[in-house]
Amino acid sequence: MELISNFLQQSITFFAIMDPIGISAIALSLLSTNITKTQISQVAFKSTLTIIIAFFVVLISGEFILKVFGIDENSLKVMGGIILILMAISMVNGSTKEKTNNEEKDYAELAIIPIGIPIAFGTGLFTTIIIFKHEASTFLDLFSISLAFCLNALVFYFVLKNSIYIKKYLGVTGQNIITKLMGLIVGAIAVQFIISGIVHLAKGYMGA
């Protein structure tokens, strides 16, 4: 029962942090208005594959990397917040320009960065995965974490794959409104990341 309880908690946590519906709205603002169903499916597949690979890299070596380079997770929060706030400013100002051509290379790059990383897989997931791994004591616990994430990755894939229909119903005006609103939300999250990271780093240095 405890394993099932932990699995449900992990699944809900991953879903809340990933926010696939919100990410699909952001992705729509980054992709061309002329993107086809086939191309959006390719973007969804590559983005999902990116976050799955990132998940297992972090699960296996994330904690080791932090220790080797002596990086505090709060430093990651600050840097991640800066990246997000720059993205948020672009979204609010409408400077995230839509592409008028359909170059598959551009879509492939966008699928990996920034849609896959850091929009879908950011510092929030990074630190959460490391925390969950700290709490894991058996192989079944690690399997539970992996299954919870992969199920959420599957949900992310289907939502992003079908985001073209969301764009169809929303129209350009609706899309722009959502982009600006998402920009405000992303900006607010970014500020929280930065402040939280700075406060904890300051406490750590003052207490040292």
Side-chain angles (χ1 to χ4, degrees):
M1 288 299 292
E2 184 180 353
L3 184 64
I4 296 175
S5 177
N6 289 337
F7 171 74
L8 291 175
Q9 180 189 1
Q10 292 155 3
S11 298
I12 294 171
T13 302
F14 283 141
F15 182 82
I17 295 174
M18 288 175 67
D19 186 18
I21 298 175
I23 291 173
S24 69
I26 296 175
L28 288 176
S29 69
L30 298 174
L31 302 172
S32 169
T33 53
N34 298 320
I35 192 169
T36 64
K37 182 179 178 181
T38 300
Q39 289 170 326
I40 193 67
S41 295
Q42 292 173 349
V43 169
F45 176 77
K46 290 178 181 177
S47 296
T48 303
L49 184 61
T50 298
I51 65 174
I52 289 176
I53 292 173
F55 166 77
F56 283 107
V57 168
V58 172
L59 187 69
I60 295 170
S61 61
E63 189 177 357
F64 173 75
I65 293 173
L66 291 181
K67 288 182 179 179
V68 167
F69 290 98
I71 301 173
D72 189 280
E73 65 180 43
N74 292 301
S75 298
L76 288 177
K77 279 188 175 182
V78 175
M79 189 60 214
I82 293 172
I83 293 172
L84 287 176
I85 206 165
L86 291 174
M87 183 180 300
I89 291 172
S90 296
M91 293 170 66
V92 172
N93 289 335
S95 57
T96 306
K97 297 181 179 178
E98 295 177 336
K99 298 182 180 293
T100 55
N101 56 357
N102 289 329
E103 296 180 12
E104 292 187 7
K105 182 179 178 181
D106 291 339
Y107 291 133
E109 291 174 352
L110 287 173
I112 298 171
I113 298 174
I115 296 175
I117 300 172
I119 295 177
F121 196 100
T123 55
L125 278 178
F126 186 96
T127 54
T128 301
I129 292 166
I130 292 178
I131 290 170
F132 280 158
K133 186 181 179 182
H134 265 298
E135 296 174 346
S137 56
T138 65
F139 173 78
L140 282 177
D141 292 330
L142 291 176
F143 177 77
S144 173
I145 297 169
S146 301
L147 181 60
F149 186 88
C150 288
L151 286 177
N152 274 283
L154 187 63
V155 172
F156 169 79
Y157 168 75
F158 281 112
V159 171
L160 189 55
K161 180 181 178 181
N162 292 293
S163 60
I164 193 170
Y165 298 111
I166 299 174
K167 180 166 64 175
K168 178 181 177 181
Y169 288 115
L170 288 176
V172 176
T173 302
Q175 182 183 342
N176 289 336
I177 292 173
I178 287 180
T179 299
K180 292 181 184 295
L181 289 174
M182 289 304 301
L184 292 173
I185 294 172
V186 170
I189 293 173
V191 170
Q192 289 180 336
F193 270 139
I194 294 172
I195 293 176
S196 174
I198 291 175
V199 168
H200 284 88
L201 284 172
K203 286 182 179 179
Y205 285 118
M206 290 175 66

